[in-house]
mmCIF file of all heavy atoms in Angstrom:
data_model
loop_
_atom_site.group_PDB
_atom_site.id
_atom_site.type_symbol
_atom_site.label_atom_id
_atom_site.label_comp_id
_atom_site.label_asym_id
_atom_site.label_seq_id
_atom_site.Cartn_x
_atom_site.Cartn_y
_atom_site.Cartn_z
ATOM 1 N N ALA B 30 -19.829 9.974 -5.318
ATOM 2 C CA ALA B 30 -20.715 10.707 -4.399
ATOM 3 C C ALA B 30 -20.213 10.613 -2.961
ATOM 4 O O ALA B 30 -20.382 11.538 -2.164
ATOM 5 C CB ALA B 30 -22.145 10.160 -4.505
ATOM 6 N N ALA B 31 -19.573 9.478 -2.641
ATOM 7 C CA ALA B 31 -19.052 9.273 -1.283
ATOM 8 C C ALA B 31 -17.678 9.898 -1.090
ATOM 9 O O ALA B 31 -17.126 9.871 0.013
ATOM 10 C CB ALA B 31 -18.985 7.778 -0.975
ATOM 11 N N GLY B 32 -17.103 10.429 -2.177
ATOM 12 C CA GLY B 32 -15.795 11.075 -2.068
ATOM 13 C C GLY B 32 -14.615 10.124 -2.190
ATOM 14 O O GLY B 32 -13.476 10.493 -1.913
ATOM 15 N N ILE B 33 -14.875 8.898 -2.631
ATOM 16 C CA ILE B 33 -13.795 7.908 -2.752
ATOM 17 C C ILE B 33 -13.791 7.261 -4.141
ATOM 18 O O ILE B 33 -13.366 6.113 -4.310
ATOM 19 C CB ILE B 33 -13.889 6.821 -1.645
ATOM 20 C CG1 ILE B 33 -15.305 6.205 -1.595
ATOM 21 C CG2 ILE B 33 -13.528 7.408 -0.295
ATOM 22 C CD1 ILE B 33 -15.427 5.036 -0.604
ATOM 23 N N GLY B 34 -14.197 8.042 -5.141
ATOM 24 C CA GLY B 34 -14.302 7.505 -6.499
ATOM 25 C C GLY B 34 -12.997 7.490 -7.273
ATOM 26 O O GLY B 34 -12.923 6.873 -8.332
ATOM 27 N N ASN B 35 -11.971 8.148 -6.777
ATOM 28 C CA ASN B 35 -10.718 8.207 -7.537
ATOM 29 C C ASN B 35 -9.550 7.534 -6.813
ATOM 30 O O ASN B 35 -8.393 7.846 -7.065
ATOM 31 C CB ASN B 35 -10.383 9.656 -7.898
ATOM 32 C CG ASN B 35 -11.283 10.148 -9.029
ATOM 33 O OD1 ASN B 35 -11.571 9.419 -9.969
ATOM 34 N ND2 ASN B 35 -11.755 11.392 -8.922
ATOM 35 N N ILE B 36 -9.889 6.606 -5.924
ATOM 36 C CA ILE B 36 -8.852 5.816 -5.248
ATOM 37 C C ILE B 36 -9.088 4.331 -5.522
ATOM 38 O O ILE B 36 -10.141 3.942 -6.033
ATOM 39 C CB ILE B 36 -8.833 6.078 -3.727
ATOM 40 C CG1 ILE B 36 -10.175 5.686 -3.083
ATOM 41 C CG2 ILE B 36 -8.503 7.534 -3.447
ATOM 42 C CD1 ILE B 36 -10.166 5.788 -1.570
ATOM 43 N N ASN B 37 -8.079 3.524 -5.220
ATOM 44 C CA ASN B 37 -8.204 2.076 -5.351
ATOM 45 C C ASN B 37 -8.598 1.463 -4.019
ATOM 46 O O ASN B 37 -7.799 1.408 -3.089
ATOM 47 C CB ASN B 37 -6.878 1.471 -5.827
ATOM 48 C CG ASN B 37 -6.697 1.608 -7.325
ATOM 49 O OD1 ASN B 37 -7.508 1.110 -8.091
ATOM 50 N ND2 ASN B 37 -5.640 2.306 -7.729
ATOM 51 N N LEU B 38 -9.834 0.994 -3.947
ATOM 52 C CA LEU B 38 -10.293 0.326 -2.736
ATOM 53 C C LEU B 38 -9.766 -1.103 -2.707
ATOM 54 O O LEU B 38 -9.904 -1.847 -3.676
ATOM 55 C CB LEU B 38 -11.820 0.269 -2.706
ATOM 56 C CG LEU B 38 -12.584 1.578 -2.800
ATOM 57 C CD1 LEU B 38 -14.071 1.312 -2.624
ATOM 58 C CD2 LEU B 38 -12.092 2.582 -1.777
ATOM 59 N N ILE B 39 -9.196 -1.481 -1.585
ATOM 60 C CA ILE B 39 -8.831 -2.874 -1.328
ATOM 61 C C ILE B 39 -9.731 -3.351 -0.201
ATOM 62 O O ILE B 39 -9.668 -2.829 0.916
ATOM 63 C CB ILE B 39 -7.355 -2.996 -0.913
ATOM 64 C CG1 ILE B 39 -6.460 -2.556 -2.074
ATOM 65 C CG2 ILE B 39 -7.024 -4.419 -0.479
ATOM 66 C CD1 ILE B 39 -4.979 -2.656 -1.773
ATOM 67 N N LYS B 40 -10.587 -4.310 -0.510
ATOM 68 C CA LYS B 40 -11.597 -4.735 0.476
ATOM 69 C C LYS B 40 -10.926 -5.452 1.643
ATOM 70 O O LYS B 40 -10.111 -6.347 1.437
ATOM 71 C CB LYS B 40 -12.620 -5.652 -0.198
ATOM 72 C CG LYS B 40 -13.845 -5.889 0.662
ATOM 73 C CD LYS B 40 -15.061 -6.343 -0.149
ATOM 74 C CE LYS B 40 -16.299 -6.271 0.720
ATOM 75 N NZ LYS B 40 -17.524 -5.991 -0.027
ATOM 76 N N VAL B 41 -11.269 -5.047 2.860
ATOM 77 C CA VAL B 41 -10.761 -5.740 4.037
ATOM 78 C C VAL B 41 -11.916 -6.178 4.925
ATOM 79 O O VAL B 41 -13.018 -5.670 4.847
ATOM 80 C CB VAL B 41 -9.811 -4.854 4.880
ATOM 81 C CG1 VAL B 41 -8.550 -4.536 4.103
ATOM 82 C CG2 VAL B 41 -10.491 -3.593 5.367
ATOM 83 N N SER B 42 -11.587 -7.101 5.775
ATOM 84 C CA SER B 42 -12.571 -7.739 6.645
ATOM 85 C C SER B 42 -11.975 -7.785 8.043
ATOM 86 O O SER B 42 -11.034 -8.518 8.249
ATOM 87 C CB SER B 42 -12.837 -9.136 6.101
ATOM 88 O OG SER B 42 -13.370 -9.963 7.091
ATOM 89 N N SER B 43 -12.434 -6.999 8.949
ATOM 90 C CA SER B 43 -12.857 -5.606 9.054
ATOM 91 C C SER B 43 -12.688 -5.168 10.482
ATOM 92 O O SER B 43 -13.614 -5.236 11.291
ATOM 93 C CB SER B 43 -14.314 -5.320 8.664
ATOM 94 O OG SER B 43 -15.041 -6.292 8.127
ATOM 95 N N ILE B 44 -11.479 -4.714 10.763
ATOM 96 C CA ILE B 44 -11.071 -4.370 12.128
ATOM 97 C C ILE B 44 -10.498 -2.949 12.130
ATOM 98 O O ILE B 44 -9.781 -2.566 11.210
ATOM 99 C CB ILE B 44 -9.990 -5.372 12.606
ATOM 100 C CG1 ILE B 44 -10.595 -6.785 12.726
ATOM 101 C CG2 ILE B 44 -9.351 -4.938 13.936
ATOM 102 C CD1 ILE B 44 -11.669 -6.938 13.784
ATOM 103 N N VAL B 45 -10.826 -2.178 13.168
ATOM 104 C CA VAL B 45 -10.165 -0.890 13.379
ATOM 105 C C VAL B 45 -8.946 -1.143 14.258
ATOM 106 O O VAL B 45 -9.097 -1.549 15.419
ATOM 107 C CB VAL B 45 -11.092 0.129 14.082
ATOM 108 C CG1 VAL B 45 -10.379 1.460 14.250
ATOM 109 C CG2 VAL B 45 -12.384 0.312 13.295
ATOM 110 N N PRO B 46 -7.737 -0.948 13.733
ATOM 111 C CA PRO B 46 -6.551 -1.198 14.561
ATOM 112 C C PRO B 46 -6.576 -0.323 15.815
ATOM 113 O O PRO B 46 -7.198 0.741 15.840
ATOM 114 C CB PRO B 46 -5.384 -0.809 13.638
ATOM 115 C CG PRO B 46 -5.935 -0.917 12.244
ATOM 116 C CD PRO B 46 -7.384 -0.498 12.369
ATOM 117 N N PRO B 47 -5.888 -0.763 16.879
ATOM 118 C CA PRO B 47 -5.839 0.037 18.105
ATOM 119 C C PRO B 47 -5.193 1.406 17.833
ATOM 120 O O PRO B 47 -4.400 1.547 16.896
ATOM 121 C CB PRO B 47 -4.938 -0.795 19.032
ATOM 122 C CG PRO B 47 -4.967 -2.183 18.475
ATOM 123 C CD PRO B 47 -5.155 -2.032 17.005
ATOM 124 N N GLU B 48 -5.528 2.369 18.645
ATOM 125 C CA GLU B 48 -4.861 3.687 18.645
ATOM 126 C C GLU B 48 -5.079 4.468 17.347
ATOM 127 O O GLU B 48 -4.272 5.321 16.974
ATOM 128 C CB GLU B 48 -3.340 3.560 18.877
ATOM 129 C CG GLU B 48 -2.911 2.562 19.922
ATOM 130 C CD GLU B 48 -3.156 3.053 21.353
ATOM 131 O OE1 GLU B 48 -3.665 4.184 21.505
ATOM 132 O OE2 GLU B 48 -2.869 2.314 22.300
ATOM 133 N N VAL B 49 -6.156 4.158 16.645
ATOM 134 C CA VAL B 49 -6.448 4.833 15.389
ATOM 135 C C VAL B 49 -7.389 5.996 15.653
ATOM 136 O O VAL B 49 -8.289 5.903 16.485
ATOM 137 C CB VAL B 49 -7.057 3.818 14.389
ATOM 138 C CG1 VAL B 49 -7.945 4.491 13.368
ATOM 139 C CG2 VAL B 49 -5.955 3.006 13.737
ATOM 140 N N THR B 50 -7.179 7.110 14.951
ATOM 141 C CA THR B 50 -8.053 8.274 15.085
ATOM 142 C C THR B 50 -9.203 8.184 14.092
ATOM 143 O O THR B 50 -8.981 7.979 12.904
ATOM 144 C CB THR B 50 -7.258 9.563 14.782
ATOM 145 O OG1 THR B 50 -6.101 9.581 15.597
ATOM 146 C CG2 THR B 50 -8.108 10.805 15.049
ATOM 147 N N LEU B 51 -10.422 8.337 14.571
ATOM 148 C CA LEU B 51 -11.572 8.390 13.685
ATOM 149 C C LEU B 51 -11.779 9.819 13.223
ATOM 150 O O LEU B 51 -11.892 10.724 14.049
ATOM 151 C CB LEU B 51 -12.826 7.869 14.400
ATOM 152 C CG LEU B 51 -12.980 6.358 14.485
ATOM 153 C CD1 LEU B 51 -12.995 5.716 13.118
ATOM 154 C CD2 LEU B 51 -11.979 5.696 15.384
ATOM 155 N N THR B 52 -11.814 10.045 11.913
ATOM 156 C CA THR B 52 -11.886 11.407 11.387
ATOM 157 C C THR B 52 -12.960 11.500 10.311
ATOM 158 O O THR B 52 -13.470 10.489 9.840
ATOM 159 C CB THR B 52 -10.557 11.811 10.715
ATOM 160 O OG1 THR B 52 -10.385 10.995 9.552
ATOM 161 C CG2 THR B 52 -9.383 11.636 11.633
ATOM 162 N N ASP B 53 -13.268 12.725 9.917
ATOM 163 C CA ASP B 53 -14.029 12.931 8.693
ATOM 164 C C ASP B 53 -13.166 12.526 7.510
ATOM 165 O O ASP B 53 -11.936 12.512 7.600
ATOM 166 C CB ASP B 53 -14.431 14.409 8.569
ATOM 167 C CG ASP B 53 -15.488 14.787 9.587
ATOM 168 O OD1 ASP B 53 -16.205 13.886 10.078
ATOM 169 O OD2 ASP B 53 -15.589 15.988 9.907
ATOM 170 N N LEU B 54 -13.805 12.229 6.408
ATOM 171 C CA LEU B 54 -13.057 11.778 5.237
ATOM 172 C C LEU B 54 -12.118 12.885 4.759
ATOM 173 O O LEU B 54 -12.560 13.974 4.383
ATOM 174 C CB LEU B 54 -14.025 11.407 4.113
ATOM 175 C CG LEU B 54 -13.371 10.747 2.894
ATOM 176 C CD1 LEU B 54 -12.908 9.335 3.236
ATOM 177 C CD2 LEU B 54 -14.327 10.722 1.720
ATOM 178 N N PRO B 55 -10.811 12.616 4.763
ATOM 179 C CA PRO B 55 -9.876 13.633 4.272
ATOM 180 C C PRO B 55 -9.732 13.527 2.757
ATOM 181 O O PRO B 55 -10.310 12.644 2.122
ATOM 182 C CB PRO B 55 -8.566 13.248 4.970
ATOM 183 C CG PRO B 55 -8.649 11.760 5.117
ATOM 184 C CD PRO B 55 -10.115 11.403 5.224
ATOM 185 N N LYS B 56 -8.954 14.413 2.171
ATOM 186 C CA LYS B 56 -8.664 14.339 0.742
ATOM 187 C C LYS B 56 -7.550 13.319 0.547
ATOM 188 O O LYS B 56 -6.472 13.445 1.115
ATOM 189 C CB LYS B 56 -8.240 15.734 0.248
ATOM 190 C CG LYS B 56 -8.776 16.081 -1.129
ATOM 191 C CD LYS B 56 -8.673 17.547 -1.464
ATOM 192 C CE LYS B 56 -8.476 17.779 -2.956
ATOM 193 N NZ LYS B 56 -9.137 16.812 -3.843
ATOM 194 N N ILE B 57 -7.833 12.310 -0.245
ATOM 195 C CA ILE B 57 -6.910 11.178 -0.429
ATOM 196 C C ILE B 57 -6.265 11.292 -1.804
ATOM 197 O O ILE B 57 -6.898 11.719 -2.767
ATOM 198 C CB ILE B 57 -7.672 9.848 -0.294
ATOM 199 C CG1 ILE B 57 -8.371 9.771 1.073
ATOM 200 C CG2 ILE B 57 -6.733 8.656 -0.487
ATOM 201 C CD1 ILE B 57 -9.319 8.590 1.217
ATOM 202 N N LYS B 58 -4.994 10.900 -1.884
ATOM 203 C CA LYS B 58 -4.277 10.967 -3.163
ATOM 204 C C LYS B 58 -4.985 10.132 -4.229
ATOM 205 O O LYS B 58 -5.296 8.960 -3.991
ATOM 206 C CB LYS B 58 -2.863 10.408 -2.994
ATOM 207 C CG LYS B 58 -1.896 11.338 -2.313
ATOM 208 C CD LYS B 58 -0.521 10.685 -2.208
ATOM 209 C CE LYS B 58 0.404 11.502 -1.311
ATOM 210 N NZ LYS B 58 1.509 10.692 -0.760
#
Side-chain angles (χ1 to χ4, degrees):
Chain B
I33 52 175
N35 285 320
I36 61 174
N37 279 301
L38 303 185
I39 296 181
K40 192 159 192 150
V41 294
S42 159
S43 353
I44 294 295
V45 181
E48 319 285 0
V49 154
T50 307
L51 280 302
T52 66
D53 289 338
L54 188 71
K56 219 165 149 33
I57 303 171
K58 283 180 190 158

